[in-house]
Amino acid sequence: MSAIRQVSGDERLRTAFTLYPYAFDETPSPAAVEDLRGLLPYHEGNHTLIAEEDARTLATAAAFPAWQNLRGVVSPMAGIAWVATHPAARRQGHSRRLMRRLHSDMVDKGHRLATLFPFHPSFYDKLGYICLPQNPTATFTPEGLAPLLDVRLPGEVRWQNIKDGFDTYRAFQRTLLPRWHGFTYTPDYRAARVLDAANRWLVTATVGDTVAGTMTYRIDGYGGALIVDELLCADAIGRALLLRFLAQHAHQVTTITVTVAPDDFPETWASGLAVRTEAETAFPTAPPLMARLLSMEALHGAHCGPGRVAIEVVDDQLLAGRYLLDGSGGTLEVSASGTGERATLTAAGLSGLAYGVLDPLDVVARGLGEITDAAAAELRSLLPRRVPRSFGKG
């Protein structure tokens, strides 16, 4: 059986990085491995594992440290990435073993949540992950926002290259982290990819001395498209200021495409705005984010409704056990199992309830648990449906 070990620094070039070009890029490319040397700084704090046999790297998986908001509680989160296997070593269990070891290592480091973009969702289903809603894009013409040009708004916008406004951009993301369920804040060494490339414009909306919104974007050519990465706004005024800035690009670009949250409604941004809102999911090219709990501690203190239910988590090396979920105090308390309505859940079923993307009946219908009607009512009150704003890729 292959041995699993952690690698770091330049050793990644001779081990994990040898698999990346084949798995994620156009091949063959003789210079690809050496070109990856430039990516080393963006892996600086990653926890990188390899499976090897006779000094040959067969598979790899990595995680970067981040923070994520789960129902009002900000917890350390592991961002799983760079999962790859040599083509001759596939379907032999290497990636599954690496993922289990990676989960265990990240829990030991204090991480309570994990997210990833799956290459094959059913593989991660069995590892306890659940799909989160895809962030849709809204596409419209700049002329559609023309009504905003005549509106007097408090505040102003500042336009600059991302390289000059990086600190402001990151500081605003930190303010959103405790406010938005599902929001992720990545480490500086990973977020620096957008800084070092310097291929984005940054617009910052401020009201007084307070930042009310930011967006990074690029223009693909005269008469082409203006593409906004993520529309991040603290309130409606911040959004209106950013949209008014976009309206000023009439006669320069033909269309504007903005990535928005699943619970945003672009058709309400301006009267008569003709907009196409869509979310494409395709594997492996456009997968939705998947997430799971690594520790029951992630639920401690979460905002919840009233309720009390005893659950048993099964078939999971990290969460298996019996617990009591109690929301009588307005925030969730998790303790050793006691009295109450009972439910049996897989890790994916519990994660779907925790992130607010599944109703208890969805859990049952998908075979992710067995829940009585009484327990379903308690869980529905404790962990009501809630849309994660899974922004903040960094």
Side-chain angles (χ1 to χ4, degrees):
M1 180 180 290
S2 61
I4 294 177
R5 67 183 180 94
Q6 183 181 355
V7 296
S8 60
D10 286 358
E11 189 181 10
R12 292 188 177 100
L13 290 173
R14 303 185 300 275
T15 56
F17 279 27
T18 63
L19 300 181
Y20 295 167
Y22 189 87
F24 304 114
D25 298 325
E26 182 179 352
T27 59
S29 176
V33 174
E34 188 56 33
D35 289 345
L36 285 170
R37 181 177 290 277
L39 298 181
L40 277 174
Y42 310 132
H43 292 251
E44 175 187 344
N46 287 11
H47 187 86
T48 305
L49 299 178
I50 63 167
E52 63 181 357
E53 189 174 84
D54 298 328
R56 293 184 303 117
T57 302
L58 303 179
T60 183
F64 59 87
W67 295 85
Q68 188 180 45
N69 182 319
L70 180 71
R71 293 186 180 270
V73 175
V74 175
S75 293
M77 186 207 83
I80 310 296
W82 302 101
V83 180
T85 303
H86 189 284
R90 292 174 180 173
R91 303 186 70 83
Q92 298 175 25
H94 300 300
S95 290
R96 185 176 302 278
R97 291 176 54 235
L98 281 169
M99 286 295 297
R100 294 192 184 282
R101 166 69 181 275
L102 191 58
H103 284 163
S104 179
D105 287 355
M106 298 314 288
V107 169
D108 289 345
K109 289 176 174 287
H111 296 271
R112 299 174 180 175
L113 302 167
T115 63
L116 53 81
F117 287 99
F119 64 90
H120 187 36
S122 65
F123 173 78
Y124 293 105
D125 286 344
K126 298 171 184 176
L127 291 170
Y129 286 85
I130 197 75
C131 287
L132 303 187
Q134 190 84 295
N135 290 329
T137 59
T139 301
F140 47 88
T141 66
E143 289 82 1
L145 297 175
L148 293 175
L149 294 173
D150 298 325
V151 178
R152 296 187 61 181
L153 296 169
E156 58 186 9
V157 297
R158 183 182 183 187
W159 171 74
Q160 58 193 147
N161 189 281
I162 184 61
K163 205 172 187 71
D164 300 319
F166 184 72
D167 290 343
T168 299
Y169 165 73
R170 292 287 283 169
F172 183 63
Q173 286 186 328
R174 287 194 294 272
T175 68
L176 295 178
L177 178 61
R179 298 176 57 177
W180 283 3
H181 167 59
F183 192 81
T184 297
Y185 185 78
T186 57
D188 286 341
Y189 74 81
R190 182 173 173 85
R193 292 176 303 167
V194 68
L195 169 67
D196 293 343
N199 61 353
R200 293 291 193 274
W201 296 111
L202 172 70
V203 177
T204 305
T206 58
V207 178
D209 296 327
T210 303
V211 175
T214 65
M215 64 181 182
T216 56
Y217 72 95
R218 62 185 175 86
I219 297 174
D220 68 2
Y222 181 68
L226 186 156
I227 303 164
V228 178
D229 298 308
E230 294 176 341
L231 189 66
L232 303 179
C233 307
D235 53 33
I237 295 298
R239 182 176 61 206
L241 287 167
L242 295 178
L243 294 177
R244 188 170 65 179
F245 175 84
L246 293 177
Q248 294 169 340
H249 289 77
H251 314 299
Q252 178 186 352
V253 300
T254 303
T255 61
I256 295 174
T257 298
V258 181
T259 298
V260 298
D263 59 349
D264 210 339
F265 306 105
E267 61 274 14
T268 68
W269 289 348
S271 179
L273 176 64
V275 57
R276 183 178 72 253
T277 303
E278 57 188 352
E280 178 190 8
T281 297
F283 301 97
T285 53
L289 189 69
M290 297 187 80
R292 66 156 288 163
L293 272 62
L294 295 178
S295 168
M296 294 298 294
E297 293 182 11
L299 289 174
H300 277 296
H303 298 166
C304 68
R308 178 186 175 94
V309 64
I311 65 170
E312 181 178 4
V313 183
V314 296
D315 300 330
D316 189 74
Q317 63 172 353
L318 299 175
L319 303 182
R322 295 183 177 182
Y323 309 94
L324 179 66
L325 307 183
D326 190 341
S328 57
T331 58
L332 197 58
E333 291 187 9
V334 182
S335 60
S337 182
T339 59
E341 297 297 335
R342 291 192 172 275
T344 300
L345 303 169
T346 63
L350 176 61
S351 297
L353 294 170
Y355 276 92
V357 298
L358 295 183
D359 179 83
L361 290 183
D362 296 320
V363 173
V364 174
R366 291 185 52 180
L368 302 177
E370 297 178 0
I371 308 173
T372 65
D373 290 345
E378 296 294 314
L379 284 168
R380 196 171 288 119
S381 177
L382 277 170
L383 300 170
R385 292 290 292 269
R386 190 169 180 183
V387 178
R389 292 191 164 193
S390 51
F391 283 142
K393 297 181 181 65

